[in-house]
């Protein structure tokens, strides 16, 4: 506490003005109470000079200056005479030096976060006010986290040299648990509806309803979620007036009381579009969400009369769709201003008149498309993935798709920086800039492998997906082991001689001894050639022509009983139409892929057999939720719904080429059906003997199949994917036996990961339609390991 003793000069404060002009001249200055600080420092800080006149204002400034140094907790100045000498005595109480501070008892909140709230600095004089503020900040941190019973104490530990150490001792207590949420003032919406839309919920029976309380979460409930709920019901003026938390000191349970003011419910009144020139009012009104409603089955009952309740959320979504309409047609400077005008009708109803006020301005034309940061990859490789060209209108949809296609190349670090746009001239044209950062794409890998029923082996591989920076892919892999010796080499050029035509050539030589399905040893050598053409100028659809020539030998009595092959030749030509719009590969979050393939084997092409083969595969993906950002060009975690269907049929005589037929079950060989053993789904039904060495016979191969899958996946990143799935499928002896009413079912959970050794995964699935050797139902679980397959 500041005290000022001016015994000799006190008269100046109460004396008449003429006396207040009198001055005192100090002959000497005495300083008392010093231990750390020198007398000269104190005198210099006070600003008082011996022999100079001193008024009471000078003394006040001296006291303030000494306090401002932060070195003293008390300052007194006394004036008096010693003999014939005027003496000023400065009496000080020094603050102790703070040698250190610490935090004890922080468990629920990390010590690092708690220490961040302390503003004390070691090596400086101790400031009690700053310590109190630090204590209050720690207390506030705990309250934000729901610990309303936390007690923070400041303990002073004196050292032998009179210095001081401070300990912030925290008794966290228990986190406040919300036992009840009370809503006051609501008449139109029930308590359960309001609480159901809040993140702050009372504790319940299930573990996810623990009643946890957070100030930040409650703030969003009060300011956003509850008003948004009311606005979706037409109560656009609703607000939360008060929120009060009553906490029991004994139990730590809390009752949250919210007082709401609902206001009036508004119906939809008139609607108009103003300012539009490029698009007609009818075109824009198509997005208006409050059209006349239909009644009866499939709307056959005619138009239902009566007012519609205004839904603010639908109105906002419709406004955004109109914005996207303009953005996708080059009007990136257009402004769409939604207007809501409240009024009361003669019959007492409250309505809102709605308007889209549009300022179109001029459409933006793409002036230049620039690519920055590519030091290895040639620019034309990136430009083939870009859908925006100079001279075109600036379309947001094309910008997003271009960004996603560049990301799908896999040549650059992820996530890619978002593309930039800059105004190119006074007419409003824009330059589009894509920024990339190269990453090392080539890899040399080696390790263990699990082949298609061939057991454990090893592999050595080389892979370069961006050879010479031109997007060409070259790969080599050698798999070896007791049951496998497989050599593969391939080369893919996405743009032959700079054109839009792609080409692929691959060669292989393999010796496989299968450990499943009693297939024995198979030797084969050969290669294939593929040429791809853009289909009618589309960047997403390609027509692929391919030819395969392969010579094989089978060394298996069981296999030879149906598929005898001693130097047999497969000569096969096929044509495929592929359309792929998936984004976020290798674990897509949106888009679709369709592939139709028709092929001819043998016959007029030579070789063994004479057959025709047709397959179709479709994959569809749509995001259910995003976590960590709603930007369509971002790469946040996502919850994805994925559907897949594939069907195939073979007509004619496959001859010895059993691998042109289909086997089903497991995940490694043939058509996957999780929850079942490899080769266990046969044209004759489920084979319970198909496990390990006691595998099913070659009769497991069929001439037609159907497989369908649905999954809900959680895409944590471009490298990690978790999913729950449901599979159905079956295989039949031929197209005439195709019967989709009889399917085998499996469901389970799985995880996939992209590693330097390639994609790996694990699935744990339940097969519903398994039977035992006696033919009785015997459903059960099956664990599958995958290498190289992504579902």
């Amino acid at each position: 506490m500041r005290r000022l003793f001016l015994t000799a000069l006190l008269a100046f404060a109460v004396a008449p003005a003429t006396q207040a002009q009198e001055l005192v001249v100090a002959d000497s200055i005495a300083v008392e109470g010093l231990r750390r600080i020198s007398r000269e420092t104190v005198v210099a800080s006070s600003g008082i000079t011996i022999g100079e006149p001193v008024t009471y204002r000078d003394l006040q400034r001296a006291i303030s200056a000494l306090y401002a140094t932060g070195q003293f907790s008390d300052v007194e100045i006394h004036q008096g005479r010693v003999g014939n000498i005027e003496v000023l005595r400065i009496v000080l109480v020094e603050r102790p030096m703070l040698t250190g501070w610490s935090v004890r008892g922080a468990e629920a909140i990390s010590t690092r976060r708690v220490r961040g709230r302390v503003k004390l600095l070691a090596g400086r004089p101790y400031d009690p006010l700053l310590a109190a503020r630090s204590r209050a900040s720690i207390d506030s941190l705990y309250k934000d986290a729901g610990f309303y019973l936390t007690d923070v104490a400041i303990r002073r530990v004196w050292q032998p040299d009179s210095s001081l150490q401070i300990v912030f001792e925290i008794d966290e207590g228990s986190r406040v648990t919300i036992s009840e949420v009370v809503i006051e003032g609501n008449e139109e919406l029930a308590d359960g509806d309001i609480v159901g839309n809040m993140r702050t919920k009372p504790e319940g029976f299930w573990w996810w309803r623990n009643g946890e309380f957070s100030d930040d979460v409650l703030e969003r409930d009060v300011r956003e979620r509850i008003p948004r709920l009311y606005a979706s019901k037409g109560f656009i003026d609703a607000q939360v007036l008060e929120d009060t938390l009553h906490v029991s000191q004994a139990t730590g349970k809390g009752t949250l009381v919210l007082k709401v003011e609902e206001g009036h419910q508004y119906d939809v009144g008139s609607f108009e579009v103003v300012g539009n020139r490029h698009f007609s009012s009818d075109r824009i009104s198509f997005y208006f969400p409050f059209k006349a409603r239909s009644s009866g089955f499939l709307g056959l009952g005619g138009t239902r009369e009566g007012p519609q309740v205004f839904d603010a959320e639908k109105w906002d979504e419709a406004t955004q769709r109109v914005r996207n309409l303009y953005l996708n047609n080059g009007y990136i400077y257009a402004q769409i201003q939604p207007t809501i005008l409240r009024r009361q009708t003669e019959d007492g109803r409250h309505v809102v008149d709605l308007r889209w006020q549009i300022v179109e301005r001029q459409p933006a034309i793409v002036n230049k498309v620039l690519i920055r940061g590519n030091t290895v990859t040639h620019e034309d490789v990136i430009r083939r993935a870009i859908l925006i060209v100079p001279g075109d209108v600036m379309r947001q949809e094309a910008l997003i798709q271009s960004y996603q296609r560049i990301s799908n190349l896999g040549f650059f670090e992820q996530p890619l920086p978002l593309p930039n746009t800059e105004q190119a001239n006074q007419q409003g044209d824009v330059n589009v800039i894509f920024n990339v950062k190269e990453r090392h794409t080539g890899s040399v890998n080696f390790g263990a492998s699990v082949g298609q029923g061939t057991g454990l082996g090893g592999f050595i591989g080389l892979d370069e997906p961006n050879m010479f920076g031109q997007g060409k892919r070259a790969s080599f892999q050698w798999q070896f082991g007791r049951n496998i010796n497989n050599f593969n080499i391939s080369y893919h050029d996405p743009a032959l001689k700079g054109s839009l035509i792609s080409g692929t050539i691959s060669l292989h030589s393999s010796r496989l001894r299968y450990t499943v399905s009693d297939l024995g040893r198979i030797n084969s050598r050969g290669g294939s050639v593929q040429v791809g053409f853009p289909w009618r100028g589309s960047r997403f659809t390609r027509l692929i022509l391919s030819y395969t020539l392969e010579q094989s030998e089978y060394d298996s009595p069981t296999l030879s009983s149906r598929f005898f092959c001693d130097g047999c030749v497969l000569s096969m030509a096929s044509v495929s139409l592929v359309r792929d719009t998936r984004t976020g590969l290798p674990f897509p979050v949106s888009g679709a892929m369709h592939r139709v393939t028709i092929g001819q084997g043998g016959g007029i092409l030579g070789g063994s057999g004479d057959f025709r083969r047709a397959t179709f595969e479709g994959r569809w993906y749509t995001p259910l939720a995003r976590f960590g950002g709603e930007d369509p060009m971002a790469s946040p975690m996502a919850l994805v719904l994925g559907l897949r269907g594939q069907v195939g049929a073979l007509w004619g005589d496959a001859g010895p080429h059993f691998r042109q037929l289909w086997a089903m079950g497991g995940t490694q060989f043939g058509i996957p059906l999780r929850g079942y053993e490899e080769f266990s789904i046969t044209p004759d039904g489920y084979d319970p003997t198909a496990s390990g060495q006691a595998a099913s016979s070659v009769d497991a191969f069929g001439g037609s199949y159907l497989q369908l899958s649905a999954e809900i996946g959680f895409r944590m990143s471009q490298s990690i994917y978790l999913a729950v799935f449901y599979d159905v499928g079956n295989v039949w002896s031929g197209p005439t036996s195709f019967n989709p009413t009889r399917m085998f079912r499996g469901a389970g959970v799985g995880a996939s990961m992209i590693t330097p050794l390639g994609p790996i995964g694990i699935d744990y699935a339940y097969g519903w339609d398994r039977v035992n050797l006696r033919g009785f139902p015997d459903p059960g679980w099956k664990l599958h390991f995958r290498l190289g397959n992504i579902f």
Side-chain angles (χ1 to χ4, degrees):
M1 177 179 181
R2 182 179 299 185
R3 291 177 296 175
L4 176 61
F5 295 92
L6 301 176
T7 57
L9 299 180
L10 184 60
F12 285 105
V14 296
T18 55
Q19 296 178 348
Q21 302 301 321
E22 296 180 8
L23 304 175
V24 174
V25 177
D27 298 319
S28 178
I29 299 176
V31 182
E32 301 177 6
L34 296 179
R35 291 194 307 272
R36 295 184 290 104
I37 304 171
S38 67
R39 174 185 177 280
E40 290 74 14
T41 300
V42 173
V43 173
S45 299
S46 70
I48 300 173
T49 305
I50 297 175
E52 295 292 334
V54 179
T55 67
Y56 77 94
R57 294 188 184 277
D58 295 325
L59 299 180
Q60 288 177 333
R61 284 193 291 268
I63 292 173
S64 297
L66 291 172
Y67 268 112
T69 63
Q71 300 286 346
F72 310 107
S73 60
D74 194 14
V75 179
E76 300 177 6
I77 299 181
H78 301 266
Q79 184 270 336
R81 295 182 66 86
V82 179
N84 295 324
I85 300 175
E86 290 287 343
V87 178
L88 287 181
R89 287 194 310 122
I90 302 177
V91 182
L92 305 169
V93 177
E94 290 183 345
R95 286 179 175 173
M97 185 63 67
L98 180 65
T99 58
W101 57 268
S102 60
V103 174
R104 294 180 183 175
E107 295 180 359
I109 298 179
S110 69
T111 303
R112 181 183 59 82
R113 290 186 61 194
V114 175
R115 290 178 62 88
R117 296 299 183 102
V118 179
K119 305 304 180 185
L120 295 177
L121 295 176
R124 293 189 179 182
Y126 171 66
D127 188 343
L129 180 59
L130 205 55
R133 290 176 179 173
S134 300
R135 176 192 174 281
S137 182
I138 295 173
D139 187 68
S140 175
L141 175 65
Y142 272 91
K143 280 184 169 58
D144 289 343
F147 289 85
Y148 274 69
L149 304 179
T150 298
D151 179 65
V152 182
I154 299 176
R155 184 165 65 89
R156 298 172 177 84
V157 181
W158 293 96
Q159 304 301 308
D161 59 355
S162 298
S163 62
L164 185 64
Q165 287 192 348
I166 295 298
V167 181
F168 292 93
E169 295 184 334
I170 302 173
D171 182 4
E172 294 180 330
S174 59
R175 186 191 295 268
V176 170
T177 300
I178 303 298
S179 61
E180 184 181 13
V181 178
V182 178
I183 310 296
E184 297 180 351
N186 58 312
E187 296 180 358
E188 300 296 333
L189 295 186
D191 292 10
D193 294 335
I194 297 174
V195 176
N197 279 270
M198 296 171 57
R199 290 282 300 276
T200 304
K201 298 182 185 294
E203 60 184 345
F205 175 78
W206 300 106
W207 70 88
W208 61 80
R209 287 285 301 274
N210 56 12
E212 181 176 310
F213 176 79
S214 168
D215 269 339
D216 292 338
V217 174
L218 177 61
E219 178 72 15
R220 293 198 63 183
D221 286 334
V222 169
R223 304 301 175 198
E224 298 178 20
R225 297 186 183 96
I226 295 177
R228 184 167 60 237
L229 170 65
Y230 268 102
S232 69
K233 308 294 183 182
F235 296 92
I236 58 178
D237 298 324
Q239 58 182 325
V240 180
L241 300 178
E242 296 180 13
D243 59 274
T244 307
L245 180 63
H246 302 283
V247 180
S248 170
Q249 297 291 331
T251 64
K253 303 290 185 179
T255 299
L256 178 63
V257 181
L258 301 178
K259 185 176 181 180
V260 302
E261 182 181 85
E262 294 181 324
H264 301 291
Q265 187 179 43
Y266 289 84
D267 295 330
V268 177
S270 63
F271 167 69
E272 63 177 341
V273 181
V274 179
N276 56 305
R277 291 184 178 85
H278 183 75
F279 295 108
S280 67
S281 295
D282 290 341
R283 173 74 182 277
I284 297 175
S285 297
F286 174 79
Y287 296 96
F288 182 63
F290 307 109
K291 299 181 178 66
R293 297 167 294 179
S294 300
S295 61
F297 178 70
L298 297 178
L300 300 179
T303 301
R304 184 169 50 183
E305 301 295 334
Q308 291 191 57
V309 174
F310 177 68
D311 186 334
E313 188 171 357
K314 286 184 179 180
W315 175 244
D316 292 339
E317 291 174 353
T319 301
Q320 186 57 49
R321 285 195 288 270
V322 175
R323 289 195 181 100
N324 290 339
L325 173 66
Y326 275 93
L327 289 172
N328 290 328
N329 285 272
Y331 288 84
I332 64 174
Y333 304 114
Q335 293 182 350
I336 291 82
Q337 179 64 43
T339 303
I340 301 175
L341 301 175
R342 298 166 173 81
R343 64 181 173 89
Q344 188 172 0
T345 63
E346 294 180 356
D347 58 0
R349 290 190 305 114
H350 293 270
V351 301
V352 289
D353 294 328
L354 304 175
R355 175 191 302 162
W356 278 324
Q357 181 75 43
I358 300 175
V359 180
E360 291 183 342
R361 296 189 173 91
Q362 292 295 321
I365 304 300
V366 178
N367 181 59
K368 294 180 180 179
V369 178
L370 305 175
I371 302 170
R372 295 175 179 171
N374 55 313
T375 57
V376 175
T377 306
H378 288 203
E379 190 168 292
D380 63 318
V381 175
I382 305 174
R383 290 194 179 276
R384 286 198 296 267
I386 297 176
L387 305 180
I388 299 174
V389 297
D392 194 4
V393 296
M394 177 59 196
R395 296 177 294 117
Q396 182 185 24
E397 183 177 357
L399 179 66
I400 294 172
Q401 291 180 351
S402 299
Y403 173 84
Q404 293 170 340
R405 285 166 60 89
I406 294 174
S407 180
N408 285 349
L409 291 175
F411 303 155
F412 310 107
E413 291 188 1
Q414 302 293 328
L416 285 179
L418 298 180
N420 300 327
T421 58
E422 61 182 19
Q423 188 167 333
N425 50 44
Q426 294 181 352
Q427 288 73 37
D429 298 340
V430 296
N431 295 328
V432 180
I433 305 170
F434 292 95
N435 298 286
V436 298
K437 186 177 181 180
E438 301 276 6
R439 74 177 183 186
H440 181 70
T441 55
S443 63
V444 178
N445 50 71
F446 56 89
S449 65
V450 179
Q452 298 175 339
T454 59
L456 185 65
F459 69 88
I460 297 175
L462 303 173
D463 184 49
E464 175 50 76
N466 190 20
M467 191 166 61
F468 311 125
Q470 298 178 358
K472 306 177 190 296
R473 186 180 199 116
S475 65
F476 158 79
Q477 189 173 71
W478 176 36
Q479 292 178 279
F480 51 87
R482 178 180 179 183
N483 301 308
I484 184 171
N485 189 358
N486 191 15
F487 176 86
N488 290 277
I489 185 171
S490 67
Y491 172 77
H492 171 75
D493 190 338
L496 293 172
K497 295 185 177 180
S499 68
L500 296 179
I501 301 174
S502 63
T504 304
I505 183 170
S506 61
L507 302 171
H508 74 272
S509 175
S510 65
R511 176 186 59 81
L512 307 176
R513 180 184 296 276
Y514 286 97
T515 60
V516 296
S517 195
D518 214 10
L519 298 180
R521 188 174 65 217
I522 299 176
N523 299 329
S524 65
R525 65 195 67 85
S528 65
V529 177
Q530 288 186 352
V531 181
F533 305 86
W535 176 254
R536 304 180 68 176
S538 172
R539 292 184 178 235
F540 300 99
T541 308
R542 298 187 72 79
L543 182 69
I544 301 175
L545 306 179
S546 63
Y547 177 74
T548 300
L549 183 64
E550 180 183 86
Q551 184 181 45
S552 302
E553 296 176 357
Y554 304 159
D555 183 10
S556 168
T558 303
L559 189 62
S560 299
S561 64
R562 180 181 175 187
F563 305 105
F564 178 78
C565 178
D566 184 8
C568 60
V569 175
L570 171 66
S571 177
M572 184 173 181
S574 62
V575 56
S576 300
L577 188 64
V578 182
R579 179 171 176 81
D580 194 348
T581 60
R582 293 175 295 174
T583 62
L585 297 174
F587 303 116
V589 294
S590 64
M593 188 280 289
H594 305 92
R595 179 190 295 269
V596 179
T597 302
I598 300 174
Q600 166 69 42
I604 61 174
L605 298 177
S608 305
D610 184 5
F611 61 93
R612 285 141 303 281
R613 194 174 187 265
T615 60
F616 168 78
E617 180 182 9
R619 303 185 183 214
W620 304 269
Y621 302 90
T622 184
L624 300 178
R626 289 175 176 263
F627 307 94
E630 296 299 326
D631 193 318
M633 287 185 286
S635 182
M637 294 186 293
L639 193 66
V640 180
L641 172 64
L643 302 175
R644 183 185 64 185
Q646 50 183 328
V647 61
L650 183 145
W651 296 267
D653 179 17
H657 307 299
F658 72 95
R659 285 177 292 184
Q660 297 302 314
L661 300 173
W662 294 280
M664 182 173 290
T667 61
Q668 286 294 334
F669 190 99
I671 308 302
L673 187 64
R674 291 164 285 189
Y676 297 85
E677 299 283 352
E678 306 281 345
F679 299 95
S680 62
I681 308 301
T682 75
D684 297 325
Y686 176 74
D687 186 351
T689 66
S691 60
Q693 296 294 334
S696 83
S697 68
V698 292
D699 292 331
F701 295 91
S704 64
Y705 80 97
L706 173 64
Q707 195 268 346
L708 305 171
S709 295
E711 69 181 25
I712 295 179
F714 181 55
R715 183 182 186 271
M716 300 182 65
S717 69
Q718 287 190 319
S719 300
I720 302 176
Y721 183 78
L722 309 176
V724 295
F725 56 82
Y726 180 73
D727 295 344
V728 297
N730 201 355
V731 60
W732 298 273
S733 58
T736 58
S737 302
F738 188 85
N739 180 14
T741 63
R742 179 67 179 102
M743 305 287 276
F744 291 89
R745 303 164 297 166
V749 296
S752 300
M753 180 180 298
I754 303 300
T755 72
L757 303 181
I760 60 174
I762 183 172
D763 297 294
Y764 192 51
Y766 186 80
W768 264 289
D769 301 305
R770 298 160 61 128
V771 296
N772 58 24
L773 293 174
R774 300 175 61 186
F776 293 110
D778 187 24
W781 291 92
K782 173 65 178 176
L783 186 66
H784 302 280
F785 292 96
R786 293 182 278 109
L787 179 64
N789 291 331
I790 297 179
F791 295 96

